Amino acid sequence: MDLQTILSGIDVRADWVGLRYVKENTGFRLVRDGKPETNTRESKQGIMVEVLVNGQFAYYGTSRLDTAGIQAAAERAVVLAQAASKYSLHSFGIEARPVAKGSYRSAFQTATDAFSPGEFSELLIKATAELKVSDKVVSTNAMGRIVESESHFVSSNGSDFDQQYLMVSADYSAVAQDGSITQKRTDGGLLAKSYQAGMEVFNEDDVLARCRIIGAEAVELLSAEDCPTGIMDLVLAPDQMMLQIHESVGHALEIDRILGDERNYAGWSFVRLADFGKLQYGSKLMNITFDPTIGNQFASYAYDDGGLKAEKEFLIKEGLLLRGLGGMESQIRSGLDGVANFRASSWNRAPIDRMANLNLEPGDSSYDEIISSVEKGVFMTSNRSWSIDDYRNKFQFGCEYGKLIENGKLTKTVKNPNYRAISNPFWRSLKKVGNQDTFEVYGTPFCGKGEPNQVIRVGHASPLCLFGDVEIFGGV
C-alpha cells in the first residue's frame, strides 16, 4: 500500500493530516490436560486517519483501505475536530506531531516457520505431561501466543516511518489439589514470559524443565503452612516486581491520568504535577527507567504513534521523581518533561499515554547478600492477585509461592503469601537492589486503559529486591 500517494490525494481542510496503517496476525494455542483446546488465528488491518483543525486533533478509523474509504474517513475526522474544537482543553499546533523518519524491526533467532503447527501442538502436549508430576496435579495448561505486527505512519509535515514486530508469549500452569486445599503455580504469572522474540522461546528442553518445576511447586504448596502475619522484611522476585512497578509506579506516573483524563474509567493518581523534581518517591536505591530500546523486551520500538523518537530516560533517579510518562501532547499541556509513550493498541484506537518498557535498574547486591541480610522475612514470587485504589496509592498484592527467611537463610515453603502497603512509603523502604545477575525481563499483553478500552503490551524488568518492615499476611 502506497500511503504517501494516498496521503497526497486526501482533500480536506485541515492544518495537518496523518495516516497510521496497522496490520496484525495473531495465533493462539492452548492445550489443557494433554488435549488441544484452542487453536485460533486472527488477522486485522486498517487505517487511522488523524487531522488537526482549529487546534483540535480528531481521529477516524477505517477498515476500507481504498482511496474513497480513506477520503471519507478524513472528512469524518474533520467534522469531529470542528465539533470538538468548541470545547478544547488545549489548542494544539503542529509541534505536537514531530517529524520522524526511519524503520524498526524486532530481533529474533528462530522464525515462526521453524515449527509446523503439528510440532507446536505436540510441544504443548508434552508440556502438560511434564506438569503432571503426581496424581495430585488435577489440571494442567500450556499456551503460546504469536503475534506478527506491522505499522506505517505518514503525515503531511513529512513523517514516514514503519515498524515491524514478532512477539511471543508463553505460559504453563499446574493446579494441585488435596482435599479442600487447592494451589496453582504458573511460569511467573499469566503470560509473563512475553517478549519480542521468535520460536526460540519454545526451546523444548527449557520448556519441559520449567514445567517439571512448576508442577512440583504446585504439589509442594499443598502441604505448606500459611504465610505468617506480621511486620517483617519482604524479598520480591523479579516476576512479582513486574506488577509492583506496573501498578505503583507506571500507572501513577502517566501524565494524562495526573491531568484527570482517566478519572471516569482507570482512575486518577496520588502524584501531582508539582511533585516532579521534588518528590522523594523511593529510597536512594530506586532508579526507574523508561526504555523502549532493549532488544528483546516486549514493548520496544523506535517511535511512538505521534512520531516522537523513543529513548531511554530516567523517570526516578536515586529515588527522586524526575519525569512523567507523557507523550508530546501531555508534555505540552503539563509543561513537564515526558517520554515517547503516545501509543495506540490497534489501528482503530487513538494514541494515549501508555507504559512501554518500564524497568528498575540493577543495583549491586548479590542474591546471597540479600537473603543473608534478612533476619526474619518472606521471599515471594509470581503474582496471584492484586488490588490497588484509583489513585494507585494503597495496594494489596498476593503471590503464588513463598519461602520463609530466618536468620539469613531460606527455610520453609509457605502458601498464600500476601503483602499490603502505600506506594511512597513502600518504595522508601527499599533496602537492597539485586545486581545484574538477578535481573530478569518480563512483559504482559494485558495493560488496560482508555475509553474506548485499549489493551496494550508493556514490558517490565527488575532485579531481586528487599523491602524492610512490610505488612505481610497469609490467607486467600
Side-chain angles (χ1 to χ4, degrees):
M1 180 179 297
D2 187 350
L3 276 192
Q4 286 288 5
T5 298
I6 294 171
L7 177 67
S8 64
I10 291 177
D11 183 16
V12 293
R13 298 190 65 177
D15 300 316
W16 177 91
V17 179
L19 301 178
R20 175 167 47 88
Y21 168 77
V22 178
K23 180 180 180 182
E24 193 160 291
N25 296 317
T26 302
F28 177 69
R29 286 173 184 262
L30 167 65
V31 172
R32 186 187 301 273
D33 300 327
K35 299 175 181 176
E37 182 167 289
T38 303
N39 181 4
T40 61
R41 186 160 181 84
E42 177 187 69
S43 183
K44 55 186 179 183
Q45 63 176 336
I47 284 182
M48 177 62 82
V49 182
E50 183 180 358
V51 300
L52 176 64
V53 177
N54 299 334
Q56 176 70 47
F57 286 105
Y59 304 83
Y60 203 90
T62 179
S63 57
R64 283 185 58 191
L65 302 183
D66 57 282
T67 301
I70 296 168
Q71 171 67 29
E75 292 171 2
R76 290 292 299 166
V78 169
V79 171
L80 292 172
Q82 290 171 336
S85 66
K86 299 173 185 176
Y87 311 99
S88 291
L89 292 173
H90 187 93
S91 181
F92 288 102
I94 200 171
E95 69 275 8
R97 295 294 182 271
V99 177
K101 295 184 178 182
S103 295
Y104 174 85
R105 301 288 183 272
S106 68
F108 61 88
Q109 297 174 21
T110 306
T112 55
D113 59 6
F115 282 34
S116 71
E119 289 171 332
F120 191 26
S121 291
E122 186 61 30
L123 171 62
L124 298 181
I125 291 170
K126 288 181 181 177
T128 59
E130 293 298 312
L131 287 162
K132 193 170 176 57
V133 297
S134 88
D135 290 341
K136 292 183 178 179
V137 175
V138 295
S139 179
T140 58
N141 284 321
M143 64 181 74
R145 172 186 281 179
I146 301 166
V147 180
E148 298 170 279
S149 180
E150 62 179 274
S151 66
H152 186 192
F153 181 84
V154 298
S155 70
S156 58
N157 63 332
S159 282
D160 188 342
F161 60 91
D162 64 282
Q163 307 191 91
Q164 293 184 12
Y165 312 89
L166 175 58
M167 294 168 284
V168 173
S169 301
D171 193 32
Y172 314 95
S173 63
V175 176
Q177 185 175 16
D178 187 3
S180 61
I181 301 173
T182 301
Q183 289 290 316
K184 181 179 181 180
R185 281 294 278 143
T186 63
D187 195 13
L190 179 61
L191 292 177
K193 298 286 178 65
S194 290
Y195 308 102
Q196 288 186 9
M199 299 302 282
E200 65 271 14
V201 171
F202 297 103
N203 177 280
E204 182 170 321
D205 291 341
D206 292 343
V207 168
L208 300 186
R210 292 209 307 276
C211 286
R212 288 190 287 274
I213 294 171
I214 292 166
E217 290 184 347
V219 174
E220 180 188 2
L221 285 168
L222 293 174
S223 57
E225 297 177 5
D226 255 327
C227 179
T229 296
I231 305 297
M232 61 190 93
D233 283 352
L234 171 64
V235 176
L236 292 181
D239 61 5
Q240 174 61 19
M241 285 299 299
M242 174 175 67
L243 182 84
Q244 191 65 57
I245 295 167
H246 185 92
E247 298 291 353
S248 67
V249 179
H251 280 309
L253 298 189
E254 291 162 342
I255 295 179
D256 60 354
R257 179 189 293 261
I258 296 170
L259 289 168
D261 294 4
E262 289 288 315
R263 287 164 63 184
N264 283 347
Y265 177 55
W268 213 346
S269 173
F270 70 90
V271 176
R272 294 289 171 260
L273 296 179
D275 290 334
F276 289 90
K278 301 175 183 175
L279 177 63
Q280 191 68 32
Y281 206 98
S283 79
K284 294 283 187 180
L285 299 174
M286 183 185 188
N287 291 290
I288 297 286
T289 56
F290 171 88
D291 192 0
T293 67
I294 296 178
N296 70 327
Q297 205 165 359
F298 205 32
S300 293
Y301 49 86
Y303 305 95
D304 73 7
D305 288 330
L308 194 59
K309 183 174 175 56
E311 296 176 324
K312 179 178 181 177
E313 300 283 359
F314 277 84
L315 304 187
I316 297 171
K317 192 166 189 177
E318 296 182 349
L320 182 65
L321 177 61
L322 299 177
R323 185 182 291 259
L325 285 167
M328 188 57 76
E329 285 190 15
S330 288
Q331 293 178 45
I332 292 170
R333 287 173 61 195
S334 67
L336 295 172
D337 290 335
V339 295
N341 71 323
F342 192 57
R343 304 170 63 207
S345 64
S346 189
W347 64 268
N348 55 4
R349 292 291 187 270
I352 54 177
D353 291 342
R354 306 306 299 258
M355 284 175 254
N357 297 331
L358 195 65
N359 305 331
L360 179 68
E361 296 293 304
D364 57 10
S365 297
S366 69
Y367 180 92
D368 289 341
E369 287 170 345
I370 289 176
I371 299 299
S372 64
S373 70
V374 177
E375 183 176 343
K376 181 182 179 183
V378 180
F379 167 85
M380 299 187 194
T381 185
S382 306
N383 184 259
R384 177 172 57 104
S385 64
W386 70 95
S387 176
I388 189 165
D389 68 22
D390 286 354
Y391 286 75
R392 257 48 188 182
N393 199 22
K394 298 177 182 176
F395 61 83
Q396 177 173 305
F397 298 149
C399 292
E400 294 178 358
Y401 184 90
K403 281 275 192 185
L404 284 184
I405 309 173
E406 300 172 296
N407 300 317
K409 294 182 179 178
L410 293 170
T411 57
K412 292 187 292 187
T413 298
V414 292
K415 67 176 185 286
N416 305 324
N418 310 282
Y419 63 100
R420 64 168 68 97
I422 297 173
S423 291
N424 281 161
F426 180 77
W427 282 103
R428 290 173 191 149
S429 76
L430 181 61
K431 294 170 64 176
K432 287 185 181 294
V433 176
N435 58 21
Q436 187 68 44
D437 291 341
T438 73
F439 189 77
E440 297 178 7
V441 175
Y442 293 93
T444 175
F446 302 127
C447 177
K449 184 181 171 185
E451 293 180 288
N453 184 251
Q454 300 193 42
V455 177
I456 207 164
R457 306 172 188 99
V458 300
H460 297 299
S462 174
L464 190 75
C465 287
L466 167 61
F467 298 86
D469 297 328
V470 179
E471 187 177 353
I472 291 173
F473 60 102
V476 292

